[in-house]
Amino acid sequence: MKSPEAKPMELVCPAGTPAALRAAAEAGADAIYCGLANETNARNFPGLNFSPEELAEGVAFAHRKGSRVLVAINTFARPGDVGLWREAVDTAAQCRADAVIAADLAVLDHAASNHPELRLHLSVQAAANTPEAIRFYADTFGVKRVVLPRVLSVPEIASLNKEINVETEVFVFGGLCVMTEGRCSLSSYATGKSPNLTGVCSPPEHVDYTEDADGKLQARLGGFTIDSFEQGQAAGYPTLCKGQFTAEGKTGYLFEDPVSLNAFELLGDLSKAGVTALKIEGRQRGKAYIAGVVGAFRKAVDSLSDGGDPGPAIGALKAFSEGGRQTAGSYKKTWR
């Protein structure tokens, strides 16, 4: 099985636009993940993502900077309409992408059968978190890396790595999804759209803000009140899993606080656990976020691989966290 700490961990960074891709490459990303401007990727928002021409140009630019490009084709194909997903795989291959990140079996099969030279990474949307599941994807489609769900602790990741020969990639910063990815129906229940099928969680066209009689701002999603904010209080985006709800006479964040994941302090532990790559979330974020976060993690990873202390770079990250608040999320399992 894999030997821990065989080489420095890779830094995998987001890019929702060509400008963000350039910023990530210039900030020192080892790999940059992005998606095409359609429903084949799980960040299908207006103004984001790449045309085939932009992807080809982005791949060429990244390669000149020494970065690889991974194309996220990580939503699930609709019955009778697999063509769009197959075309996305073909486009990624034609643009000389270094890998595709996929979850759907039909998409993985098309890539493995028609583009054997194209490296396959298993998306977090597949929710593969057991040795048996991961070995299935590796044996059947030749998957080389699995992006692990954000519900595993560090000891669980270490135990998993001892039983598989597939590279593992974990999220270390950005938006925190509290569900086992690929198995969340909250957004679909409220709006009819989900990240798994249409690439959209809490779509903006279903969001509205209204002021009540007491002057409080009510944030709603699909007609459901998700949160309430006092006058002058910064209003958060109404993502259903990060809303406030009342249960048994108490009101609070029952699923997850509206904070950002920051596993910076666990980088050494993740390296010892045999993790191959560290993933930053944020394809919907701008160039300043990309440059700042990637730069901080670049310094930290380089320092760690040289036997130094990655800590000094952490101060720059708080400014990029949701509400300025951070959590180690499921890695420490304080809520289990």
Side-chain angles (χ1 to χ4, degrees):
M1 295 301 146
K2 293 191 301 180
S3 58
E5 301 181 282
K7 57 182 180 179
M9 293 183 292
E10 296 178 16
L11 188 56
V12 181
C13 307
T17 64
L21 183 148
R22 292 191 292 271
E26 290 172 344
D30 293 306
I32 304 163
Y33 66 100
C34 58
L36 292 162
N38 54 43
E39 295 180 17
T40 62
N41 90 85
R43 288 293 185 273
N44 181 28
F45 291 103
L48 289 186
N49 303 310
F50 291 66
S51 68
E53 293 75 20
E54 289 171 333
L55 179 60
E57 293 172 1
V59 170
F61 179 88
H63 286 175
R64 288 196 298 272
K65 293 292 183 177
S67 301
R68 298 182 299 281
V69 175
L70 322 175
V71 180
I73 308 174
N74 55 344
T75 53
F76 293 87
R78 292 186 297 267
D81 192 22
V82 183
L84 182 64
W85 281 260
R86 290 174 176 164
E87 182 181 340
V89 173
D90 297 341
T91 297
Q94 291 163 5
C95 292
R96 301 187 66 185
D98 297 278
V100 296
I101 309 169
D104 188 284
L105 296 176
V107 175
L108 290 164
D109 180 66
H110 177 76
S113 300
N114 294 277
H115 303 285
E117 77 291 348
L118 187 60
R119 184 178 169 92
L120 291 182
H121 291 188
L122 187 65
S123 170
V124 68
Q125 294 291 323
N129 55 13
T130 65
E132 293 81 6
I134 293 170
R135 281 196 290 265
F136 165 78
Y137 287 104
D139 294 344
T140 308
F141 304 112
V143 164
K144 302 299 184 184
R145 178 180 297 181
V146 56
V147 184
L148 295 178
R150 284 167 277 194
V151 294
L152 298 178
S153 66
V154 174
E156 287 170 334
I157 293 171
S159 176
L160 181 64
N161 275 330
K162 291 177 181 178
E163 299 189 51
I164 61 174
N165 281 318
V166 176
E167 298 172 359
T168 51
E169 180 174 305
V170 301
F171 284 91
V172 291
F173 192 87
L176 179 62
C177 183
V178 298
M179 300 296 178
T180 300
E181 286 90 345
R183 303 175 187 175
C184 179
S185 299
L186 290 175
S187 178
S188 181
Y189 175 78
T191 69
K193 292 187 176 182
S194 76
N196 313 122
L197 297 177
T198 54
V200 182
C201 175
S202 306
E205 64 268 25
H206 289 267
V207 170
D208 67 86
Y209 297 89
T210 58
E211 190 173 296
D212 65 14
D214 298 324
K216 291 184 178 181
L217 190 65
Q218 307 292 322
R220 293 189 173 88
L221 176 70
F224 296 95
T225 299
I226 305 302
D227 212 337
S228 178
F229 303 92
E230 300 288 347
Q231 288 185 357
Q233 182 182 4
Y237 191 84
T239 303
L240 209 158
C241 66
K242 294 186 178 181
Q244 293 199 70
F245 302 92
T246 300
E248 297 183 351
K250 297 180 180 180
T251 300
Y253 296 104
L254 299 185
F255 294 102
E256 178 59 77
D257 290 346
V259 297
S260 289
L261 171 67
N262 186 359
F264 196 101
E265 64 183 273
L266 299 174
L267 295 186
D269 294 332
L270 292 170
S271 178
K272 293 175 183 176
V275 167
T276 303
L278 306 172
K279 189 166 195 169
I280 296 169
E281 187 275 339
R283 280 194 282 150
Q284 71 278 27
R285 305 293 292 269
K287 291 189 298 181
Y289 171 93
I290 300 298
V293 175
V294 174
F297 271 95
R298 180 74 278 157
K299 292 178 182 177
V301 171
D302 290 347
S303 178
L304 184 65
S305 64
D306 292 337
D309 178 14
I314 193 173
L317 293 173
K318 189 173 182 180
F320 300 105
S321 300
E322 190 173 350
R325 299 164 62 201
Q326 303 171 132
T327 177
S330 303
Y331 288 117
K332 291 188 175 180
K333 290 291 191 185
T334 55
W335 46 263
R336 176 177 278 182

